[in-house]
Amino acid sequence: MLQPVRGTHDVLPEEMRAHRHVSDSARGIAECYGFDEMATPIFEFSSVFARTLGEATDIVEKEMYSFVDQGGDELTLRPENTAGVARCFISNGLAQLAPLKYFYSGPMFRHERPQKGRLRQFHQIGVEYIGVAGPQADIEVIAVGERILYILGIREHTVLELNTLGDEESRAGYRKALVAYFNDYVKDLSDDSRRRLKRNPLRILDSKDAGDCRIVAGAPEFKDFLNAYSVDFFAQVKAGLDLLSIGYEINPRLVRGLDYYCHTAFEFTTTQLGAQSAVLAGGRYDGLIETLGGPSTPGVGWAAGIERLAMLANDVPKPRRPIAVVPIGADAEAPALKLSEELRRAGFRVDVGDSGNLRKRMRRANKVNAVAAILMGEDELAQGVVTVRDMESGDQESTATGSVVAQLSRYR
Ligand code: ATP
Ligand code: MG
C-alpha cells in the first residue's frame, strides 16, 4: 500500500475542522491584540536557520530538511518561523515601520522521531512583536497566548512556566559558572552534553538524559547571576502578569541556549499529551535580527503546535448541516439542479444525492445529517410546488417553488 512519508499525515475533514478552529480562533484573538497576519516562504536559504538557530541545537544538528535545488542553492524547509520573520524584516527594510506585530500560521518541518503529537510536517501558529525593548511587549505576547489557550478550553490544563535568561552581561557570568561546574563532571556527562559544554553550555540544562539531569540538579542557578537591570525587567514582567491574573510558575531550568535569547522565556505545558508536554513556547530574542545582519532590533514571540492544540481543544464546530435536495424521477433532475444552485447562491449548504430512488436518496439525506429535505416529485412539479420535510420532526409541508429560499430561512 502506498503510504505518506513517515512523520507526515493526511489531514482529513474532521481533523481539518479542529485545525481550522485552532487557527481561526487564534487569528481572531491575535487581531484583538493588534497582530496582523503575514506569511513567509516555506523554504529559505539554509544559512537563515544555520545562523539564527545556532550550531549546537537539536534543530540544526539533526532535524533540518535541507537540500540543494536544481540551481545549486542550499535550501531548508523551515523548521520554525521566527528566523523567516527576522529575515523578512531585513529583506523588506521594515525597520522604519517598527514596532510591528505579526501573526502567522502554517506548516513547519523537522526530521524527528514521529510519535503522538510529534510529526515531521506539523503546523504552528505564532506571534512576533518586533521593535519594543521593554517588558510590556513580553506581557502582551504572553497575554495573547494565554487568551488563545483560554478560548480553546486548554488553559485550565496547562501551566505557564516562566524564567528569565537575563541580559548579555548576566548570561556571560552564568555561562562561565556553568562551564566551571560542568567541567568537574565532564566524564559523567552524555556525549551530547560534552559537546554542548564547549559550544552551548546552557543547553545542558535542557538535557533529557537521566545522568545529565542528576548533574544538572546541582548546577548553579541563573538567579544568582542576574544583574540589577535583568532582575528589574523580570519583576516588571511578573507584575504585568499578576495585574492580568495570569498565573505562572517559575522554572529556573527553562532555557533557550542561543546567544540572542534573553530575558523572558516561557512555555505553557500540559500533562495531557503524554511525553509531549509543550503546547506553546516562546521568549525574547533581542539579538536575532542583528545576528542575521540586520539593524539591532529587539523582539519577543511564541509558537504553538496546531496538532497539539487541536488534540486538546473543546467545542470544535460541527460541519454545517445541509439541505438535501431529492428529485424523484428523471423529469425532476433538471429542476432539482436549478433549485440546488439557487439555494447555494443564497448561502445554504446543499447536498444532492447523485442518483437512486427516493429511499436511497433519503438514506443519503440522513447520512449527511441534512436538516431538511426538499422532495421534488413529478406531481408536485406540475403544480409548481415542492415538499419541504423537516428531518428532525418528520413534518412535511408543501411550498411554492418560488418561495423555497424564504421558507428555508429558519434552517440558516
Ligand atoms: P519539544 O520540546 O516538544 O520538542 P520544541 O521545544 O522543539 O518542542 P518549539 O521549537 O518551541 O518546540 O516549537 C513550539 C511548539 O511547536 C511546541 O511547543 C509544540 O507545540 C510544537 N512542535 C514542535 N515540534 C513539533 C513536532 N515535531 N510535531 C508537532 N508539534 C511540534
Ligand atoms: Mg523539539
Side-chain angles (χ1 to χ4, degrees):
M1 273 262 273
L2 195 54
Q3 296 294 332
V5 174
R6 187 166 137 81
T8 69
H9 92 300
D10 304 307
V11 184
L12 296 176
E14 189 183 346
E15 190 184 355
M16 195 72 223
R17 268 191 298 278
H19 285 202
R20 283 299 294 259
H21 176 55
V22 168
S23 58
D24 290 349
S25 306
R27 184 179 295 105
I29 291 164
E31 196 202 4
C32 293
Y33 286 77
F35 292 84
D36 287 310
E37 185 166 18
M38 55 88 80
T40 64
I42 282 170
F43 52 87
E44 298 271 355
F45 291 116
S46 299
S47 57
V48 169
F49 304 110
R51 280 159 73 181
T52 57
L53 298 176
E55 284 174 63
T57 63
D58 282 348
I59 291 182
V60 171
E61 277 177 351
K62 49 196 181 207
E63 296 178 1
M64 294 212 304
Y65 276 98
S66 299
F67 59 98
V68 178
D69 78 356
Q70 291 82 340
D73 284 328
E74 290 182 29
L75 306 177
T76 294
L77 300 184
R78 62 185 188 188
E80 54 91 43
N81 208 15
T82 305
V85 171
R87 196 274 308 140
C88 162
F89 180 86
I90 298 168
S91 308
N92 293 280
L94 298 178
Q96 53 226 353
L97 299 181
L100 289 165
K101 297 166 83 170
Y102 288 141
F103 170 83
Y104 63 81
S105 166
M108 308 292 159
F109 306 85
R110 297 183 192 178
H111 194 275
E112 322 198 52
R113 200 164 66 76
Q115 47 195 296
K116 184 182 169 204
R118 190 174 294 285
L119 292 153
R120 290 181 173 176
Q121 176 177 337
F122 62 103
H123 300 80
Q124 281 184 340
I125 50 169
V127 302
E128 311 293 355
Y129 193 164
I130 300 173
V132 175
Q136 68 271 30
D138 308 54
I139 296 163
E140 243 185 62
V141 155
I142 294 174
V144 66
E146 119 114 9
R147 188 71 195 156
I148 289 168
L149 297 179
Y150 175 80
I151 290 292
L152 294 172
I154 297 173
R155 175 59 173 125
E156 58 182 317
H157 306 301
T158 63
V159 171
L160 168 57
E161 299 183 28
L162 186 68
N163 194 22
T164 177
L165 308 176
D167 63 3
E168 218 173 303
E169 181 187 77
S170 309
R171 271 196 320 285
Y174 185 48
R175 195 177 303 114
K176 229 161 105 189
L178 277 184
V179 171
Y181 172 81
F182 286 124
N183 263 329
D184 290 344
Y185 298 90
V186 77
K187 284 197 303 295
D188 307 314
L189 286 174
S190 67
D191 290 347
D192 274 347
S193 286
R194 250 197 308 279
R195 249 178 320 120
R196 291 172 185 142
L197 183 53
K198 292 213 186 66
R199 291 163 53 184
N200 197 346
L202 253 71
R203 284 272 324 291
I204 300 175
L205 300 178
D206 211 14
S207 172
K208 294 182 176 108
D209 178 271
D212 288 350
C213 287
R214 274 193 298 278
I215 301 170
V216 163
E221 290 198 18
F222 216 147
K223 66 171 166 28
D224 300 325
F225 295 85
L226 295 173
N227 59 19
Y229 178 77
S230 302
V231 169
D232 180 58
F233 192 101
F234 196 38
Q236 289 188 60
V237 171
K238 288 184 287 189
L241 297 179
D242 292 341
L243 188 70
L244 301 179
S245 305
I246 297 174
Y248 54 85
E249 287 176 12
I250 303 297
N251 175 0
R253 302 279 172 233
L254 184 65
V255 291
R256 318 224 137 209
L258 303 172
D259 282 346
Y260 57 78
Y261 276 114
C262 58
H263 296 294
T264 318
F266 61 93
E267 213 165 274
F268 286 86
T269 59
T270 181
T271 53
Q272 303 208 319
L273 285 178
Q276 273 48 259
S277 61
V279 291
L280 186 155
R284 179 166 275 282
Y285 49 79
D286 289 351
L288 172 66
I289 290 170
E290 207 175 356
T291 301
L292 264 183
S296 170
T297 312
V300 53
W302 54 253
I306 293 181
E307 283 81 0
R308 293 186 195 177
L309 295 174
M311 281 191 276
L312 297 168
N314 296 335
D315 302 328
V316 175
K318 300 237 176 342
R320 196 143 67 96
R321 295 178 71 179
I323 306 286
V325 170
V326 181
I328 305 159
D331 289 348
E333 297 282 350
L337 177 63
K338 237 179 129 216
L339 180 62
S340 300
E341 181 66 17
E342 193 188 336
L343 292 175
R344 286 166 172 162
R345 289 184 186 185
F348 289 98
R349 175 174 183 159
V350 174
D351 185 84
V352 197
D354 62 340
S355 64
N357 59 16
L358 178 62
R359 254 198 41 220
K360 190 169 161 209
R361 288 191 190 244
M362 288 311 287
R363 254 208 319 272
R364 160 100 191 157
N366 275 315
K367 193 173 143 209
V368 299
N369 196 27
V371 63
I374 300 178
L375 310 178
M376 306 176 74
E378 284 167 24
D379 296 348
E380 289 157 305
L381 288 169
Q383 297 164 36
V385 297
V386 298
T387 299
V388 177
R389 178 188 173 90
D390 185 292
M391 296 296 283
E392 294 294 327
S393 65
D395 294 347
Q396 299 198 154
E397 59 191 347
S398 186
T399 301
T401 317
S403 54
V404 179
V405 170
Q407 187 66 27
L408 291 179
S409 61
R410 70 192 131 120
Y411 295 116
R412 279 196 192 275

